[in-house]
Amino acid sequence: MIRIKKEGILLHQTNLEFENEGVLNPATIRVGDKVLFYYRAVQKGNHSSIGFCKLSDPLTIEERLNKPILFPEHDYEAKGLEDPRVVYIDGLFYLTYTAYDGVSACAALATSTDGLQFEKHGLIVAQMDYAEFKQLAETNAPLDEKYILYNDFNPRLWDKDVVFFPRKINGRFYFLHRIKPHIQLVSVNNLSDLTADFWKDYYLHLHDHIILTPKYKHEMSYVGAGCPPVETPHGWLFIYHGVHETPEGYVYVGCAALFDLDDPSKEIARLPYPILAPERDWEIRGDVDNVCFPTGTALFDDTLYIYYGAGDEVIATGTINLTELINELLSYRA
């Protein structure tokens, strides 16, 4: 069994109005020897924006802005910008986040050439009623009953955790997304292909796009995309979150799987246990208890730094040897 070494809390909330309730779930990307760090900042009343800091090395804050770098400006994000992820493809930073308007929570996209000034491109997932999604998804095959359990109380479809692969594969964009309880995969030549008709056809064949389903006890309730996939010689490393229900509520853990480099829909291996689980006080008790929610990584030599929201209140860091993790995964081939 291999586990993440916990390096402790990296970022706390401050008294600044935009982050006086909590900081959590950061998007991270290595640029040279530094790490750019985009985090969800929560203001009292549960209004979220995206804060920014720069790390001089994986564990040291060099600069931290005193105001959000991205904040609500449009109706689709009126109640908050949540849980960013970031990659760099062909000269552009692609930053995805969950836009919450008070009714639905759906993934949106912003891009930047310098990592500081971002242009928003709006929602990039389907905007449809849950009833329409259900009708489409049930057309060709029965829908897993958990889709109904986790979604039928929302009038609008919630589609979160959009995470881009850090490069194009065979000339195409690939990204993960999550409609509970599974992780799904999208592949397009251009992001402009993500039209209403695209999504209708996609959901007609939903079962063909599901790539990760709950399998083990620690993820039995649902799974969701976590950090952007890490490319290794043996496949794409997925660090994702798994959730299981207990008498005290849901427990969020960090999990690991390996997928094929040329066809990311093919699972190569998955660990039958979590590599990150709530154990410390700041993970067990928080705004939401029992949460370890990994969303960003940075690779330095053979050490993978994993950044995660803990207790939905602070941001912590863990480390793991990448070679050892891949070798452990390969001992559990699918």
Side-chain angles (χ1 to χ4, degrees):
M1 180 179 288
I2 188 169
R3 296 295 289 270
I4 287 172
K5 177 188 175 186
K6 295 181 179 179
E7 304 290 348
I9 297 173
L10 178 66
L11 213 65
H12 289 87
Q13 66 201 71
T14 70
N15 291 325
L16 295 171
E17 185 177 14
F18 80 99
E19 58 181 14
N20 57 12
E21 188 164 288
V23 294
L24 56 152
N25 305 353
T28 65
I29 190 165
R30 179 178 174 177
V31 177
D33 291 330
K34 300 181 185 296
V35 178
L36 303 186
F37 204 90
Y38 310 87
Y39 60 93
R40 178 179 172 186
V42 185
Q43 178 181 339
K44 290 190 186 300
N46 196 32
H47 297 284
S48 296
S49 58
I50 297 176
F52 174 81
C53 61
K54 183 187 296 182
L55 309 186
S56 58
D57 61 58
L59 297 173
T60 305
I61 299 170
E62 176 181 274
E63 175 188 4
R64 184 174 181 178
L65 298 187
N66 61 7
K67 59 183 180 180
I69 195 169
L70 288 164
F71 48 87
E73 298 175 281
H74 306 287
D75 289 345
Y76 64 83
E77 58 188 11
K79 297 298 182 179
L81 288 70
E82 305 175 354
D83 304 346
R85 276 80 159 192
V86 67
V87 298
Y88 186 76
I89 305 172
D90 297 340
L92 275 181
F93 292 89
Y94 288 77
L95 188 144
T96 51
Y97 60 92
T98 296
Y100 182 53
D101 65 3
V103 177
S104 61
C106 290
L109 172 68
T111 60
S112 171
T113 57
D114 63 4
L116 293 172
Q117 303 294 325
F118 282 87
E119 177 186 359
K120 292 179 179 177
H121 300 279
L123 300 176
I124 62 168
V125 295
Q127 294 106 68
M128 66 172 60
D129 291 338
Y130 167 72
E132 182 182 3
F133 160 79
K134 183 173 180 291
Q135 182 181 24
L136 291 167
E138 290 180 329
T139 298
N140 293 314
L143 190 62
D144 187 310
E145 63 183 15
K146 284 187 177 180
Y147 279 92
I148 300 169
L149 173 66
Y150 290 121
N151 295 283
D152 71 348
F153 58 89
N154 294 317
R156 300 286 288 173
L157 181 66
W158 284 35
D159 192 345
K160 304 172 62 175
D161 294 332
V162 163
V163 180
F164 274 81
F165 283 69
R167 67 168 172 85
K168 293 181 180 178
I169 302 171
N170 299 318
R172 296 173 65 85
F173 287 98
Y174 278 75
F175 64 81
L176 307 169
H177 67 122
R178 199 280 304 278
I179 300 170
K180 287 182 181 177
H182 302 147
I183 297 174
Q184 300 88 17
L185 179 69
V186 169
S187 168
V188 290
N189 285 318
N190 299 290
L191 298 185
S192 59
D193 296 337
L194 298 170
T195 63
D197 286 341
F198 169 90
W199 286 111
K200 288 178 182 179
D201 181 73
Y202 182 91
Y203 292 135
L204 276 171
H205 305 93
L206 175 68
H207 299 78
D208 296 334
H209 306 297
I210 296 168
I211 66 164
L212 204 63
T213 64
K215 182 177 181 181
Y216 298 111
K217 182 179 179 181
H218 62 272
E219 60 188 19
M220 193 48 63
S221 294
Y222 52 90
V223 292
C227 312
V230 177
E231 186 171 6
T232 79
H234 298 281
W236 293 105
L237 171 64
F238 285 10
I239 304 295
Y240 64 98
H241 66 267
V243 183
H244 64 279
E245 190 171 12
T246 73
E248 290 75 40
Y250 289 116
V251 177
Y252 285 73
V253 300
C255 313
L258 197 65
F259 283 75
D260 187 84
L261 283 178
D262 295 319
D263 183 358
S265 67
K266 294 181 179 179
E267 182 179 335
I268 296 172
R270 188 191 322 195
L271 292 184
Y273 58 85
I275 59 172
L276 175 66
E279 298 162 324
R280 307 288 178 86
D281 289 345
W282 31 271
E283 299 165 338
I284 296 171
R285 296 287 177 263
D287 191 57
V288 179
D289 295 342
N290 294 309
V291 172
C292 288
F293 197 88
T295 48
T297 64
L299 182 62
F300 283 77
D301 297 322
D302 203 30
T303 300
L304 186 67
Y305 292 80
I306 299 175
Y307 302 93
Y308 64 99
D312 265 18
E313 197 166 288
V314 296
I315 294 170
T317 311
T319 56
I320 198 164
N321 181 277
L322 181 60
T323 298
E324 292 177 3
L325 176 56
I326 296 302
N327 288 339
E328 178 76 352
L329 273 161
L330 292 174
S331 69
Y332 291 96
R333 288 182 179 271

